Amino acid sequence: MKDRVAEVQLTAESWSPQQVLAWAFETFGNAVAISSAFGAEGMVLIDIASRLRKDFRLFTVDTEFLFSETYNLMDRIEQKYEIKIERVFSLLSPEEQERVHGAALWTRDPDQCCNLRKVEPLRRKLGELRAWITSIRRDQTLIREGARKVHWDAKFGLVKVNPIADWTSKQVWRYLHEHDVPYNSLHDQNYPSIGCTHCTRAVRPGEDPRAGRWPGTGKTECGLHVIEIQPLRQSPEAEA
Ligand code: SF4
């Protein structure tokens, strides 16, 4: 599969999100799914996917610490797109986590909390797939700068597809408004990036859009998106 990625990687960089998604659906069939936490970018992907294939797979890692606005959006997505969101949970309920690791683990060791509630459940889910689709954009964080539209995810051992890697936030919002796509109402209350209730706050004027995630900890990612910077290789056809 790594060879397959190398073949299309460079070509895919010029594809539109629709083309990238169509390629992923065609190549992986039912073994590819969109992973989403239902931020603005995720909603763009879900809407585009729904226009290509009615029965696309969509999953979310539900930490059980999400905002009620996020759960509300999930209900609206299921109704509008007539799909069932596949929800993946931690092996530990919030109560069990507190019993085993103590109260408010997120304040003492957010990396461990994210590992228990996000990374391990994601790894379990990805174990049943050959490729996953995410809505990360290159200009969101330094780590994400290296994302390709199609690349090999060495951390989880499958193909990772990022159809809107080269989009700007402006393009995302233009798409949402032009296509009347539902979005999380917290975005209108200065929450550009939304995660768990314990680790997300509204941003203040002039702050980085991700300043509201794990504020004061120096943490910027939950460990789901680790990107190896790979040189883009020419496909054999392109080299010819
Ligand atoms: S974002 Fe916070 S509460 Fe959510 S899993 Fe990570 S550390 Fe825990």
Side-chain angles (χ1 to χ4, degrees), residues 63-66 97 105-107 109-119 195-200 213-214 219 221-222:
T63 62
E64 300 175 81
F65 292 144
L66 303 179
Q97 177 169 309
L105 181 60
W106 51 90
T107 60
D109 191 346
D111 284 343
Q112 188 186 14
C113 187
C114 276
N115 273 330
L116 291 166
R117 311 215 70 78
K118 292 185 173 184
V119 182
C196 296
T197 52
H198 303 305
C199 302
T200 309
R213 302 295 299 278
W214 303 283
K219 183 175 164 73
E221 293 273 358
C222 41

Short mmCIF file of all heavy atoms in Angstrom, two decimals, residues 63-66 97 105-107 109-119 195-200 213-214 219 221-222, ligand 1:
data_model
loop_
_atom_site.label_atom_id
_atom_site.label_comp_id
_atom_site.label_asym_id
_atom_site.label_seq_id
_atom_site.Cartn_x
_atom_site.Cartn_y
_atom_site.Cartn_z
N THR A 63 -14.81 11.38 23.49
CA THR A 63 -14.09 11.33 24.77
C THR A 63 -15.05 11.32 25.96
O THR A 63 -14.63 11.13 27.10
CB THR A 63 -13.17 12.55 24.93
OG1 THR A 63 -13.99 13.72 24.93
CG2 THR A 63 -12.14 12.61 23.83
N GLU A 64 -16.32 11.56 25.69
CA GLU A 64 -17.35 11.71 26.72
C GLU A 64 -17.18 12.99 27.53
O GLU A 64 -17.79 13.18 28.56
CB GLU A 64 -17.40 10.47 27.66
CG GLU A 64 -17.72 9.19 26.88
CD GLU A 64 -17.66 7.94 27.73
OE1 GLU A 64 -18.64 7.66 28.43
OE2 GLU A 64 -16.62 7.25 27.67
N PHE A 65 -16.31 13.86 27.01
CA PHE A 65 -16.10 15.17 27.63
C PHE A 65 -16.40 16.28 26.61
O PHE A 65 -15.81 17.36 26.69
CB PHE A 65 -14.65 15.33 28.11
CG PHE A 65 -14.25 14.45 29.26
CD1 PHE A 65 -12.96 13.92 29.32
CD2 PHE A 65 -15.12 14.16 30.30
CE1 PHE A 65 -12.56 13.12 30.38
CE2 PHE A 65 -14.73 13.36 31.36
CZ PHE A 65 -13.44 12.83 31.41
N LEU A 66 -17.26 15.99 25.65
CA LEU A 66 -17.49 16.99 24.61
C LEU A 66 -18.58 17.98 25.03
O LEU A 66 -19.36 17.71 25.94
CB LEU A 66 -17.90 16.28 23.30
CG LEU A 66 -16.90 15.24 22.78
CD1 LEU A 66 -17.41 14.59 21.50
CD2 LEU A 66 -15.51 15.85 22.56
N GLN A 97 -11.81 6.12 34.86
CA GLN A 97 -10.54 6.87 34.72
C GLN A 97 -10.21 7.58 36.03
O GLN A 97 -9.06 7.61 36.47
CB GLN A 97 -10.64 7.87 33.58
CG GLN A 97 -9.38 8.72 33.43
CD GLN A 97 -9.36 9.54 32.16
OE1 GLN A 97 -9.57 9.00 31.08
NE2 GLN A 97 -9.11 10.84 32.27
N LEU A 105 -7.49 14.21 35.55
CA LEU A 105 -6.20 13.83 34.96
C LEU A 105 -5.73 14.87 33.94
O LEU A 105 -4.53 15.12 33.79
CB LEU A 105 -6.34 12.45 34.29
CG LEU A 105 -5.09 11.87 33.63
CD1 LEU A 105 -3.96 11.68 34.63
CD2 LEU A 105 -5.42 10.54 32.93
N TRP A 106 -6.68 15.48 33.24
CA TRP A 106 -6.35 16.45 32.19
C TRP A 106 -5.59 17.66 32.73
O TRP A 106 -4.85 18.30 31.99
CB TRP A 106 -7.62 16.89 31.44
CG TRP A 106 -8.71 17.33 32.36
CD1 TRP A 106 -8.95 18.59 32.84
CD2 TRP A 106 -9.72 16.49 32.93
NE1 TRP A 106 -10.03 18.58 33.68
CE2 TRP A 106 -10.53 17.30 33.76
CE3 TRP A 106 -10.02 15.12 32.85
CZ2 TRP A 106 -11.62 16.81 34.47
CZ3 TRP A 106 -11.10 14.62 33.56
CH2 TRP A 106 -11.88 15.46 34.35
N THR A 107 -5.73 17.95 34.01
CA THR A 107 -4.99 19.09 34.57
C THR A 107 -3.57 18.68 34.95
O THR A 107 -2.67 19.50 34.98
CB THR A 107 -5.68 19.64 35.85
OG1 THR A 107 -5.73 18.59 36.83
CG2 THR A 107 -7.07 20.15 35.58
N ASP A 109 -1.88 15.59 33.74
CA ASP A 109 -1.16 14.90 32.67
C ASP A 109 -2.06 14.80 31.44
O ASP A 109 -2.62 13.74 31.14
CB ASP A 109 -0.74 13.50 33.16
CG ASP A 109 0.25 12.84 32.21
OD1 ASP A 109 0.40 13.34 31.07
OD2 ASP A 109 0.86 11.83 32.59
N PRO A 110 -2.21 15.94 30.71
CA PRO A 110 -3.12 15.92 29.57
C PRO A 110 -2.71 14.92 28.49
O PRO A 110 -3.56 14.37 27.80
CB PRO A 110 -3.10 17.36 29.05
CG PRO A 110 -1.92 18.01 29.67
CD PRO A 110 -1.64 17.28 30.94
N ASP A 111 -1.39 14.66 28.37
CA ASP A 111 -0.97 13.68 27.35
C ASP A 111 -1.52 12.30 27.68
O ASP A 111 -1.99 11.58 26.80
CB ASP A 111 0.56 13.63 27.25
CG ASP A 111 1.12 14.83 26.51
OD1 ASP A 111 0.34 15.52 25.82
OD2 ASP A 111 2.32 15.10 26.64
N GLN A 112 -1.45 11.93 28.95
CA GLN A 112 -1.96 10.61 29.31
C GLN A 112 -3.48 10.56 29.13
O GLN A 112 -4.04 9.57 28.65
CB GLN A 112 -1.60 10.26 30.77
CG GLN A 112 -1.96 8.80 31.07
CD GLN A 112 -1.75 8.41 32.53
OE1 GLN A 112 -1.59 9.26 33.40
NE2 GLN A 112 -1.76 7.12 32.78
N CYS A 113 -4.13 11.65 29.49
CA CYS A 113 -5.60 11.70 29.34
C CYS A 113 -5.97 11.57 27.86
O CYS A 113 -6.85 10.79 27.50
CB CYS A 113 -6.12 13.01 29.94
SG CYS A 113 -7.91 13.11 30.01
N CYS A 114 -5.25 12.30 27.00
CA CYS A 114 -5.52 12.19 25.55
C CYS A 114 -5.20 10.80 25.04
O CYS A 114 -5.89 10.28 24.17
CB CYS A 114 -4.70 13.22 24.77
SG CYS A 114 -5.44 14.86 24.67
N ASN A 115 -4.17 10.18 25.58
CA ASN A 115 -3.85 8.82 25.15
C ASN A 115 -4.97 7.86 25.49
O ASN A 115 -5.36 7.03 24.68
CB ASN A 115 -2.55 8.33 25.83
CG ASN A 115 -1.33 8.75 25.03
OD1 ASN A 115 -1.41 8.87 23.80
ND2 ASN A 115 -0.24 8.98 25.70
N LEU A 116 -5.50 7.99 26.70
CA LEU A 116 -6.56 7.09 27.14
C LEU A 116 -7.87 7.34 26.39
O LEU A 116 -8.59 6.40 26.05
CB LEU A 116 -6.82 7.28 28.64
CG LEU A 116 -5.72 6.81 29.59
CD1 LEU A 116 -5.96 7.36 30.99
CD2 LEU A 116 -5.70 5.27 29.61
N ARG A 117 -8.19 8.62 26.16
CA ARG A 117 -9.53 8.94 25.65
C ARG A 117 -9.57 9.19 24.14
O ARG A 117 -10.65 9.23 23.55
CB ARG A 117 -10.11 10.17 26.40
CG ARG A 117 -10.01 10.05 27.91
CD ARG A 117 -11.17 10.69 28.61
NE ARG A 117 -12.41 9.93 28.42
CZ ARG A 117 -12.70 8.81 29.10
NH1 ARG A 117 -11.88 8.32 29.97
NH2 ARG A 117 -13.85 8.18 28.87
N LYS A 118 -8.38 9.43 23.53
CA LYS A 118 -8.39 9.72 22.10
C LYS A 118 -7.51 8.75 21.30
O LYS A 118 -7.95 8.15 20.33
CB LYS A 118 -7.90 11.15 21.83
CG LYS A 118 -8.83 12.24 22.33
CD LYS A 118 -8.32 13.60 21.92
CE LYS A 118 -9.32 14.69 22.25
NZ LYS A 118 -8.88 16.01 21.77
N VAL A 119 -6.23 8.68 21.69
CA VAL A 119 -5.27 7.96 20.84
C VAL A 119 -5.56 6.45 20.82
O VAL A 119 -5.62 5.85 19.74
CB VAL A 119 -3.82 8.24 21.27
CG1 VAL A 119 -2.85 7.52 20.34
CG2 VAL A 119 -3.54 9.74 21.24
N GLY A 195 -12.62 21.14 21.30
CA GLY A 195 -12.32 19.77 21.72
C GLY A 195 -13.15 19.43 22.94
O GLY A 195 -14.36 19.62 22.97
N CYS A 196 -12.48 18.95 24.00
CA CYS A 196 -13.18 18.60 25.23
C CYS A 196 -13.49 19.86 26.05
O CYS A 196 -12.73 20.84 26.01
CB CYS A 196 -12.31 17.68 26.08
SG CYS A 196 -11.97 16.09 25.32
N THR A 197 -14.53 19.78 26.85
CA THR A 197 -14.92 20.92 27.68
C THR A 197 -13.79 21.33 28.63
O THR A 197 -13.56 22.51 28.86
CB THR A 197 -16.16 20.59 28.54
OG1 THR A 197 -15.88 19.37 29.25
CG2 THR A 197 -17.39 20.40 27.70
N HIS A 198 -13.07 20.31 29.16
CA HIS A 198 -12.03 20.61 30.15
C HIS A 198 -10.84 21.34 29.57
O HIS A 198 -10.07 21.96 30.31
CB HIS A 198 -11.52 19.31 30.79
CG HIS A 198 -12.58 18.49 31.43
ND1 HIS A 198 -13.43 18.99 32.38
CD2 HIS A 198 -12.95 17.20 31.24
CE1 HIS A 198 -14.27 18.05 32.76
NE2 HIS A 198 -14.01 16.95 32.09
N CYS A 199 -10.63 21.23 28.28
CA CYS A 199 -9.37 21.72 27.68
C CYS A 199 -9.60 22.72 26.55
O CYS A 199 -8.72 22.92 25.72
CB CYS A 199 -8.57 20.54 27.15
SG CYS A 199 -8.17 19.33 28.41
N THR A 200 -10.76 23.30 26.49
CA THR A 200 -11.05 24.26 25.41
C THR A 200 -11.65 25.52 26.00
O THR A 200 -12.54 25.45 26.85
CB THR A 200 -12.08 23.68 24.41
OG1 THR A 200 -11.66 22.38 23.99
CG2 THR A 200 -12.22 24.57 23.18
N ARG A 213 -7.00 25.81 22.88
CA ARG A 213 -6.87 24.37 23.15
C ARG A 213 -5.74 24.15 24.14
O ARG A 213 -4.64 24.66 23.95
CB ARG A 213 -6.58 23.62 21.84
CG ARG A 213 -7.63 23.81 20.77
CD ARG A 213 -8.98 23.23 21.14
NE ARG A 213 -8.93 21.79 21.37
CZ ARG A 213 -8.97 20.87 20.40
NH1 ARG A 213 -9.08 21.24 19.14
NH2 ARG A 213 -8.91 19.58 20.68
N TRP A 214 -5.97 23.42 25.19
CA TRP A 214 -5.01 23.16 26.27
C TRP A 214 -4.31 24.44 26.69
O TRP A 214 -3.07 24.51 26.74
CB TRP A 214 -3.97 22.11 25.84
CG TRP A 214 -4.58 20.83 25.40
CD1 TRP A 214 -5.10 19.86 26.21
CD2 TRP A 214 -4.78 20.37 24.05
NE1 TRP A 214 -5.60 18.83 25.45
CE2 TRP A 214 -5.41 19.12 24.13
CE3 TRP A 214 -4.48 20.90 22.79
CZ2 TRP A 214 -5.75 18.39 22.98
CZ3 TRP A 214 -4.83 20.18 21.67
CH2 TRP A 214 -5.45 18.95 21.77
N LYS A 219 0.78 22.42 25.13
CA LYS A 219 0.32 21.31 24.28
C LYS A 219 -0.50 21.87 23.12
O LYS A 219 -1.32 22.77 23.32
CB LYS A 219 -0.54 20.38 25.16
CG LYS A 219 -1.08 19.11 24.50
CD LYS A 219 -1.79 18.28 25.58
CE LYS A 219 -2.68 17.21 25.01
NZ LYS A 219 -1.97 16.07 24.42
N GLU A 221 -1.41 19.53 20.26
CA GLU A 221 -2.01 18.42 19.52
C GLU A 221 -2.36 17.32 20.52
O GLU A 221 -1.72 17.19 21.57
CB GLU A 221 -1.02 17.83 18.50
CG GLU A 221 -0.66 18.75 17.35
CD GLU A 221 -1.63 18.67 16.18
OE1 GLU A 221 -2.58 17.86 16.23
OE2 GLU A 221 -1.44 19.42 15.21
N CYS A 222 -3.34 16.50 20.17
CA CYS A 222 -3.70 15.43 21.09
C CYS A 222 -2.98 14.13 20.76
O CYS A 222 -3.17 13.13 21.44
CB CYS A 222 -5.21 15.22 21.10
SG CYS A 222 -5.97 15.31 19.51
S1 SF4 B 1 -8.55 17.10 25.41
FE1 SF4 B 1 -8.36 17.21 27.65
S2 SF4 B 1 -10.11 16.10 28.54
FE2 SF4 B 1 -9.96 15.60 26.33
S3 SF4 B 1 -8.86 13.71 26.28
FE3 SF4 B 1 -7.33 15.34 26.02
S4 SF4 B 1 -6.62 15.92 28.07
FE4 SF4 B 1 -8.46 14.62 28.30
#
